[in-house]
Short mmCIF file of all heavy atoms in Angstrom, two decimals:
data_model
loop_
_atom_site.label_atom_id
_atom_site.label_comp_id
_atom_site.label_asym_id
_atom_site.label_seq_id
_atom_site.Cartn_x
_atom_site.Cartn_y
_atom_site.Cartn_z
N GLU C 1 -40.82 35.22 -76.07
CA GLU C 1 -39.58 34.63 -76.56
C GLU C 1 -38.68 34.23 -75.41
O GLU C 1 -38.03 33.18 -75.43
CB GLU C 1 -38.86 35.64 -77.46
CG GLU C 1 -37.54 35.12 -78.03
CD GLU C 1 -36.84 36.18 -78.86
OE1 GLU C 1 -37.47 37.22 -79.16
OE2 GLU C 1 -35.67 35.95 -79.20
N ALA C 2 -38.65 35.06 -74.37
CA ALA C 2 -37.82 34.74 -73.21
C ALA C 2 -38.32 33.50 -72.51
O ALA C 2 -37.53 32.65 -72.08
CB ALA C 2 -37.81 35.92 -72.24
N VAL C 3 -39.63 33.38 -72.38
CA VAL C 3 -40.21 32.19 -71.74
C VAL C 3 -39.86 30.94 -72.54
O VAL C 3 -39.56 29.88 -71.99
CB VAL C 3 -41.73 32.35 -71.59
CG1 VAL C 3 -42.37 31.07 -71.07
CG2 VAL C 3 -42.05 33.51 -70.67
N ALA C 4 -39.89 31.07 -73.88
CA ALA C 4 -39.55 29.93 -74.73
C ALA C 4 -38.09 29.51 -74.53
O ALA C 4 -37.77 28.33 -74.56
CB ALA C 4 -39.80 30.28 -76.19
N ARG C 5 -37.21 30.48 -74.31
CA ARG C 5 -35.79 30.17 -74.14
C ARG C 5 -35.53 29.39 -72.86
O ARG C 5 -34.61 28.58 -72.79
CB ARG C 5 -34.96 31.46 -74.15
CG ARG C 5 -34.85 32.09 -75.54
CD ARG C 5 -34.02 33.37 -75.47
NE ARG C 5 -33.85 33.95 -76.80
CZ ARG C 5 -32.87 33.64 -77.63
NH1 ARG C 5 -31.98 32.72 -77.28
NH2 ARG C 5 -32.77 34.22 -78.80
N ILE C 6 -36.32 29.68 -71.81
CA ILE C 6 -36.11 28.95 -70.55
C ILE C 6 -37.18 27.87 -70.39
O ILE C 6 -37.43 27.39 -69.30
CB ILE C 6 -36.10 29.92 -69.35
CG1 ILE C 6 -37.40 30.71 -69.25
CG2 ILE C 6 -34.91 30.85 -69.42
CD1 ILE C 6 -37.48 31.57 -68.01
N GLY C 7 -37.78 27.47 -71.51
CA GLY C 7 -38.84 26.46 -71.49
C GLY C 7 -38.45 25.15 -70.82
O GLY C 7 -39.24 24.60 -70.04
N PRO C 8 -37.26 24.58 -71.13
CA PRO C 8 -36.90 23.32 -70.47
C PRO C 8 -36.90 23.41 -68.95
O PRO C 8 -37.35 22.50 -68.26
CB PRO C 8 -35.49 23.04 -71.02
CG PRO C 8 -35.48 23.71 -72.35
CD PRO C 8 -36.30 24.96 -72.16
N CYS C 9 -36.40 24.53 -68.43
CA CYS C 9 -36.42 24.70 -66.98
C CYS C 9 -37.83 24.81 -66.45
O CYS C 9 -38.16 24.26 -65.40
CB CYS C 9 -35.61 25.94 -66.59
SG CYS C 9 -35.52 26.21 -64.81
N LEU C 10 -38.69 25.51 -67.19
CA LEU C 10 -40.08 25.64 -66.78
C LEU C 10 -40.77 24.29 -66.79
O LEU C 10 -41.62 24.01 -65.95
CB LEU C 10 -40.81 26.62 -67.70
CG LEU C 10 -40.40 28.09 -67.59
CD1 LEU C 10 -41.13 28.92 -68.63
CD2 LEU C 10 -40.66 28.62 -66.20
N ALA C 11 -40.40 23.42 -67.75
CA ALA C 11 -40.99 22.09 -67.80
C ALA C 11 -40.61 21.28 -66.57
O ALA C 11 -41.45 20.59 -65.97
CB ALA C 11 -40.55 21.37 -69.07
N VAL C 12 -39.33 21.38 -66.17
CA VAL C 12 -38.89 20.69 -64.96
C VAL C 12 -39.61 21.25 -63.74
O VAL C 12 -40.07 20.53 -62.86
CB VAL C 12 -37.36 20.82 -64.79
CG1 VAL C 12 -36.92 20.26 -63.44
CG2 VAL C 12 -36.65 20.11 -65.92
N LEU C 13 -39.72 22.58 -63.70
CA LEU C 13 -40.42 23.23 -62.59
C LEU C 13 -41.86 22.78 -62.53
O LEU C 13 -42.40 22.52 -61.45
CB LEU C 13 -40.34 24.74 -62.76
CG LEU C 13 -40.95 25.60 -61.66
CD1 LEU C 13 -40.24 25.36 -60.34
CD2 LEU C 13 -40.88 27.07 -62.04
N GLY C 14 -42.50 22.66 -63.71
CA GLY C 14 -43.88 22.18 -63.74
C GLY C 14 -44.00 20.77 -63.19
O GLY C 14 -44.96 20.45 -62.49
N GLY C 15 -43.03 19.92 -63.52
CA GLY C 15 -43.05 18.57 -62.99
C GLY C 15 -42.93 18.54 -61.48
O GLY C 15 -43.60 17.76 -60.80
N VAL C 16 -42.06 19.42 -60.95
CA VAL C 16 -41.91 19.50 -59.49
C VAL C 16 -43.21 19.94 -58.84
O VAL C 16 -43.63 19.43 -57.80
CB VAL C 16 -40.76 20.47 -59.13
CG1 VAL C 16 -40.72 20.71 -57.63
CG2 VAL C 16 -39.45 19.91 -59.62
N ILE C 17 -43.90 20.92 -59.47
CA ILE C 17 -45.15 21.42 -58.92
C ILE C 17 -46.23 20.35 -58.95
O ILE C 17 -47.01 20.21 -58.01
CB ILE C 17 -45.60 22.68 -59.68
CG1 ILE C 17 -44.62 23.83 -59.38
CG2 ILE C 17 -47.01 23.08 -59.31
CD1 ILE C 17 -44.90 25.07 -60.18
N VAL C 18 -46.28 19.57 -60.03
CA VAL C 18 -47.26 18.48 -60.10
C VAL C 18 -46.99 17.47 -58.99
O VAL C 18 -47.91 16.99 -58.32
CB VAL C 18 -47.21 17.80 -61.48
CG1 VAL C 18 -48.03 16.52 -61.47
CG2 VAL C 18 -47.74 18.75 -62.55
N LEU C 19 -45.71 17.14 -58.80
CA LEU C 19 -45.35 16.21 -57.72
C LEU C 19 -45.76 16.80 -56.38
O LEU C 19 -46.27 16.09 -55.50
CB LEU C 19 -43.85 15.95 -57.74
CG LEU C 19 -43.30 15.05 -56.63
CD1 LEU C 19 -43.93 13.66 -56.69
CD2 LEU C 19 -41.78 14.95 -56.72
N ALA C 20 -45.55 18.12 -56.22
CA ALA C 20 -45.92 18.76 -54.97
C ALA C 20 -47.41 18.68 -54.73
O ALA C 20 -47.87 18.52 -53.59
CB ALA C 20 -45.45 20.21 -54.96
N ALA C 21 -48.19 18.83 -55.79
CA ALA C 21 -49.64 18.77 -55.65
C ALA C 21 -50.09 17.42 -55.11
O ALA C 21 -51.04 17.32 -54.32
CB ALA C 21 -50.31 19.05 -57.00
N VAL C 22 -49.38 16.37 -55.54
CA VAL C 22 -49.71 15.04 -55.04
C VAL C 22 -49.41 14.93 -53.55
O VAL C 22 -50.06 14.20 -52.81
CB VAL C 22 -48.91 13.97 -55.83
CG1 VAL C 22 -49.16 12.58 -55.27
CG2 VAL C 22 -49.30 14.02 -57.30
N MET C 23 -48.40 15.72 -53.12
CA MET C 23 -47.98 15.64 -51.72
C MET C 23 -48.80 16.54 -50.81
O MET C 23 -48.66 16.48 -49.59
CB MET C 23 -46.50 16.04 -51.61
CG MET C 23 -45.55 15.16 -52.40
SD MET C 23 -43.89 15.88 -52.48
CE MET C 23 -43.48 15.98 -50.74
N VAL C 24 -49.63 17.42 -51.37
CA VAL C 24 -50.33 18.41 -50.56
C VAL C 24 -51.17 17.77 -49.47
O VAL C 24 -51.22 18.24 -48.34
CB VAL C 24 -51.21 19.32 -51.46
CG1 VAL C 24 -52.21 20.10 -50.62
CG2 VAL C 24 -50.33 20.27 -52.24
N HIS C 25 -51.87 16.69 -49.80
CA HIS C 25 -52.74 16.06 -48.82
C HIS C 25 -51.95 15.61 -47.59
O HIS C 25 -52.39 15.83 -46.45
CB HIS C 25 -53.46 14.86 -49.44
CG HIS C 25 -54.33 14.13 -48.46
ND1 HIS C 25 -55.54 14.64 -48.01
CD2 HIS C 25 -54.18 12.94 -47.81
CE1 HIS C 25 -56.08 13.79 -47.15
NE2 HIS C 25 -55.27 12.76 -47.02
N SER C 26 -50.76 15.03 -47.83
CA SER C 26 -49.96 14.58 -46.69
C SER C 26 -49.41 15.76 -45.91
O SER C 26 -49.27 15.70 -44.69
CB SER C 26 -48.82 13.67 -47.16
OG SER C 26 -47.96 14.39 -48.02
N VAL C 27 -49.10 16.85 -46.63
CA VAL C 27 -48.62 18.05 -45.94
C VAL C 27 -49.71 18.62 -45.05
O VAL C 27 -49.48 19.04 -43.92
CB VAL C 27 -48.14 19.10 -46.98
CG1 VAL C 27 -47.83 20.42 -46.29
CG2 VAL C 27 -46.93 18.59 -47.72
N GLU C 28 -50.95 18.67 -45.59
CA GLU C 28 -52.06 19.19 -44.81
C GLU C 28 -52.29 18.36 -43.56
O GLU C 28 -52.68 18.87 -42.51
CB GLU C 28 -53.33 19.22 -45.67
CG GLU C 28 -53.29 20.27 -46.75
CD GLU C 28 -54.55 20.24 -47.59
OE1 GLU C 28 -55.18 19.16 -47.68
OE2 GLU C 28 -54.90 21.28 -48.17
N ALA C 29 -52.06 17.06 -43.69
CA ALA C 29 -52.28 16.18 -42.55
C ALA C 29 -51.32 16.49 -41.41
O ALA C 29 -51.59 16.19 -40.25
CB ALA C 29 -52.12 14.72 -42.98
N GLN C 30 -50.16 17.11 -41.75
CA GLN C 30 -49.18 17.45 -40.72
C GLN C 30 -49.53 18.77 -40.02
O GLN C 30 -48.85 19.18 -39.09
CB GLN C 30 -47.79 17.57 -41.35
CG GLN C 30 -47.31 16.26 -41.97
CD GLN C 30 -46.01 16.46 -42.73
OE1 GLN C 30 -45.37 17.49 -42.64
NE2 GLN C 30 -45.62 15.45 -43.48
N GLY C 31 -50.57 19.48 -40.52
CA GLY C 31 -50.93 20.77 -39.95
C GLY C 31 -50.26 21.90 -40.68
O GLY C 31 -49.55 21.71 -41.65
N SER C 32 -50.49 23.10 -40.23
CA SER C 32 -49.94 24.28 -40.88
C SER C 32 -48.42 24.27 -40.82
O SER C 32 -47.81 23.76 -39.89
CB SER C 32 -50.48 25.54 -40.21
OG SER C 32 -51.88 25.62 -40.34
N GLU C 33 -47.83 24.89 -41.86
CA GLU C 33 -46.38 25.06 -41.88
C GLU C 33 -45.96 25.89 -40.67
O GLU C 33 -46.58 26.90 -40.35
CB GLU C 33 -45.97 25.76 -43.18
CG GLU C 33 -46.20 24.94 -44.42
CD GLU C 33 -45.15 23.88 -44.61
OE1 GLU C 33 -44.06 24.01 -43.99
OE2 GLU C 33 -45.39 22.93 -45.36
N HIS C 34 -44.90 25.44 -40.02
CA HIS C 34 -44.44 26.14 -38.82
C HIS C 34 -43.15 26.87 -39.15
O HIS C 34 -42.13 26.24 -39.46
CB HIS C 34 -44.21 25.14 -37.69
CG HIS C 34 -43.83 25.80 -36.40
ND1 HIS C 34 -44.65 26.69 -35.74
CD2 HIS C 34 -42.70 25.71 -35.66
CE1 HIS C 34 -44.06 27.10 -34.64
NE2 HIS C 34 -42.87 26.53 -34.57
N ARG C 35 -43.17 28.20 -39.11
CA ARG C 35 -42.01 29.01 -39.41
C ARG C 35 -41.73 29.92 -38.23
O ARG C 35 -42.63 30.59 -37.73
CB ARG C 35 -42.23 29.84 -40.68
CG ARG C 35 -42.46 29.01 -41.91
CD ARG C 35 -42.74 29.88 -43.14
NE ARG C 35 -42.98 29.05 -44.30
CZ ARG C 35 -44.17 28.52 -44.61
NH1 ARG C 35 -45.21 28.76 -43.82
NH2 ARG C 35 -44.30 27.76 -45.67
N GLN C 36 -40.47 29.96 -37.83
CA GLN C 36 -40.09 30.85 -36.75
C GLN C 36 -38.59 31.09 -36.84
O GLN C 36 -37.84 30.30 -37.41
CB GLN C 36 -40.44 30.27 -35.38
CG GLN C 36 -39.74 28.96 -35.06
CD GLN C 36 -40.11 28.43 -33.69
OE1 GLN C 36 -40.90 29.02 -32.98
NE2 GLN C 36 -39.51 27.31 -33.30
N GLY C 37 -38.17 32.24 -36.30
CA GLY C 37 -36.75 32.52 -36.20
C GLY C 37 -36.08 32.80 -37.54
O GLY C 37 -36.67 33.29 -38.49
N PHE C 38 -34.80 32.44 -37.60
CA PHE C 38 -33.94 32.71 -38.75
C PHE C 38 -34.21 31.71 -39.87
O PHE C 38 -34.48 30.54 -39.63
CB PHE C 38 -32.47 32.63 -38.31
CG PHE C 38 -31.49 32.95 -39.39
CD1 PHE C 38 -31.30 34.26 -39.81
CD2 PHE C 38 -30.74 31.94 -39.98
CE1 PHE C 38 -30.38 34.57 -40.80
CE2 PHE C 38 -29.81 32.24 -40.97
CZ PHE C 38 -29.63 33.56 -41.38
N TRP C 39 -34.12 32.17 -41.12
CA TRP C 39 -34.31 31.30 -42.27
C TRP C 39 -33.29 31.65 -43.37
O TRP C 39 -32.81 32.77 -43.47
CB TRP C 39 -35.72 31.40 -42.84
CG TRP C 39 -36.11 32.80 -43.25
CD1 TRP C 39 -36.69 33.74 -42.46
CD2 TRP C 39 -35.92 33.40 -44.53
NE1 TRP C 39 -36.88 34.91 -43.17
CE2 TRP C 39 -36.42 34.73 -44.45
CE3 TRP C 39 -35.40 32.96 -45.75
CZ2 TRP C 39 -36.39 35.61 -45.54
CZ3 TRP C 39 -35.37 33.84 -46.82
CH2 TRP C 39 -35.87 35.14 -46.72
#
């Protein structure tokens, strides 16, 4: 029931993830994510 209540947000989140999946190939082409220091 809780998931159903926040369903619209989950739908938007799903759309963002699908878009991200399309971008994965270009991200991989840039090499590994570089993280260092403060975030």
Side-chain angles (χ1 to χ4, degrees):
E1 180 183 349
V3 174
R5 287 180 178 272
I6 58 175
C9 182
L10 291 176
V12 173
L13 183 62
V16 172
I17 291 175
V18 170
L19 177 61
V22 176
M23 300 168 59
V24 165
H25 178 73
S26 61
V27 172
E28 289 179 334
Q30 298 173 11
S32 298
E33 293 282 341
H34 184 62
R35 298 177 181 85
Q36 62 179 1
F38 183 74
W39 58 271

